[in-house]
Amino acid sequence: MSRRTPFLAVKEATAARMLDMRTNEFRRLVQLGALPQPIELAGQVLRWRVSDLEAILTGAVPEEGFET
């Protein structure tokens, strides 16, 4: 059986699904600084680090939240 390689970074819709929320709710929380900002790849492509999203679930996020 082959193991599936986990993603290192995901699109906005996938990041929202990982947190079981609608994309517009996810986007609003990112704008407020409650969720991490995306990283920019190749000057145009935005992705969210899976490790940042997992940190939310494990409580490893700084109390002051993520930088905006």
Side-chain angles (χ1 to χ4, degrees):
M1 221 186 253
S2 68
R3 294 183 95 195
R4 195 173 132 203
T5 304
F7 291 108
L8 298 175
V10 294
K11 294 178 182 180
E12 180 182 57
T14 303
R17 268 195 317 274
M18 289 175 69
L19 299 174
D20 193 25
M21 59 179 63
R22 292 187 170 121
T23 304
N24 61 348
E25 179 183 9
F26 178 83
R27 188 177 298 129
R28 184 178 66 78
L29 290 172
V30 169
Q31 290 172 346
L32 290 173
L35 293 177
Q37 293 290 314
I39 56 172
E40 193 171 315
L41 305 172
Q44 295 179 355
V45 179
L46 298 178
R47 295 293 184 269
W48 276 260
R49 286 184 183 94
V50 170
S51 60
D52 287 347
L53 300 172
E54 289 173 338
I56 294 164
L57 300 175
T58 62
V61 178
E63 242 180 73
E64 57 278 351
F66 293 96
E67 291 184 22
T68 55

